[in-house]
Amino acid sequence: MLRALIFDVDGTLADTERDGHRVAFNRAFAEAGLDWRWDVPRYGELLQVTGGRERLLHFMQSDATGIAPGNRDALARDLHARKTVHYLQMIDAGAVKLRPGVARLLTEAHKAGLVLAIATTTTRANVEALLAHALPAGALSWFAAIGAAENAARKKPDPGIYEYVLRKIGVAADDALAFEDSEAGLCAALSAGLRTLATVNEYTDAQDFTGALSVLSDLGEPQAPASVLAGLTLERGFVDLAELRAWHAHTLSH
Ligand code: XBP
Ligand code: MG
């Protein structure tokens, strides 16, 4: 039986990367007196490394930044802390909106009594701020568990964060569905035994989503149908609980 829905955050609940995290990293660089600037295509490449601090370390290693190896870890921590402050300011200013269908589906699932949870690579404060800002007041309490960067030793594609969330909510992987936007996220969810739906975005639409139940442009809305890119098709042009239950039952019988 379908009992729980587990959502990734960045790229899945909202398009946070290009106009959110990327801009916050650049603000942190400027604030720290560094002339580094991550433009839109370069940030797309850097997204291959999951985790903001890990991304900074990778950048310092791969580009001629002139930072001595022994100083990189402390600088990455400092820049990442600054970046989180800028990102939270952007969320507070309403710079990031939820993707189509997200608020509708979360509201429907909450009202129907499904267990809702988050499994993300990003920093916990970022998730809490986004949910508090973009959903109705009190919606943070809809989530039985929020698994974030602080809760897993290794970032996606490692399944650790999904395993943590499944333990927290006490639901078997077979009774849940995961929602992801990236290949690394899909790998993490599949490795934790979860059936997974992918909604792609401009940074991830060329990635490999083999193994996803369905690959969609987004969750769709009654007035703005989603496109199906691969896998199971949509009955009504948008993802609702009836569709998810049908997909879940279908995969159990195959
Ligand atoms: C998200 C990430 C994060 C964000 C930035 O991946 O990899 O690093 O880009 O957030 P996913 P932090 O959507 O697969 O969870 O700077 O807080 O890491
Ligand atoms: Mg993501």
Side-chain angles (χ1 to χ4, degrees), residues 7-252:
F7 291 84
D8 168 50
V9 175
D10 296 302
T12 300
L13 293 187
D15 278 320
T16 53
E17 296 290 6
R18 191 191 69 184
D19 301 327
H21 292 297
R22 185 186 67 88
V23 175
F25 278 113
N26 285 331
R27 288 186 183 167
F29 300 155
E31 188 181 70
L34 294 162
D35 64 358
W36 306 349
R37 193 182 169 279
W38 290 352
D39 63 19
V40 172
R42 179 70 178 122
Y43 191 65
E45 293 162 9
L46 291 166
L47 278 174
Q48 296 297 324
V49 180
T50 53
R53 199 176 54 79
E54 291 82 351
R55 194 168 300 142
L56 284 162
L57 282 171
H58 167 81
F59 176 73
M60 285 186 237
Q61 281 149 19
S62 64
D63 289 49
T65 52
I67 308 294
N71 297 334
R72 288 176 189 163
D73 199 52
L75 181 58
R77 281 178 200 282
D78 173 61
L79 288 171
H80 194 243
R82 288 173 189 266
K83 174 260 170 180
T84 299
V85 172
H86 286 291
Y87 182 78
L88 291 172
Q89 282 168 359
M90 296 174 73
I91 297 287
D92 273 354
V96 179
K97 306 268 181 281
L98 297 180
R99 295 191 68 194
V102 168
R104 174 184 53 71
L105 181 62
L106 287 173
T107 305
E108 186 191 7
H110 169 65
K111 285 189 176 150
L114 261 77
V115 175
L116 295 176
I118 297 287
T120 179
T121 293
T122 200
T123 309
R124 171 172 295 271
N126 296 347
V127 189
E128 293 183 347
L130 179 70
L131 296 177
H133 200 279
L135 287 170
L140 212 51
S141 69
W142 297 359
F143 295 87
I146 294 180
E150 293 85 344
N151 304 114
R154 281 178 297 280
K155 302 283 191 308
K156 298 173 189 176
D158 189 277
I161 195 61
Y162 277 103
E163 290 164 355
Y164 167 86
V165 167
L166 286 169
R167 272 198 309 277
K168 276 265 171 194
I169 63 177
V171 173
D174 256 355
D175 296 334
L177 289 177
F179 295 75
E180 275 288 353
D181 72 300
S182 69
E183 187 177 343
L186 173 67
C187 286
L190 292 178
S191 304
L194 285 152
R195 293 170 178 80
T196 307
L197 174 65
T199 50
V200 301
N201 56 60
E202 64 172 319
Y203 275 137
T204 65
D205 58 8
Q207 294 180 352
D208 182 0
F209 288 99
T210 306
L213 279 186
S214 180
V215 185
L216 305 171
S217 56
D218 53 77
L219 295 176
E221 293 284 23
Q223 305 307 325
S227 316
V228 180
L229 309 172
L232 297 175
T233 55
L234 283 168
E235 197 68 36
R236 286 168 292 281
F238 59 95
V239 176
D240 61 1
L241 216 44
E243 189 76 86
L244 292 178
R245 286 194 166 116
W247 285 356
H248 185 254
H250 170 92
T251 56
L252 287 183

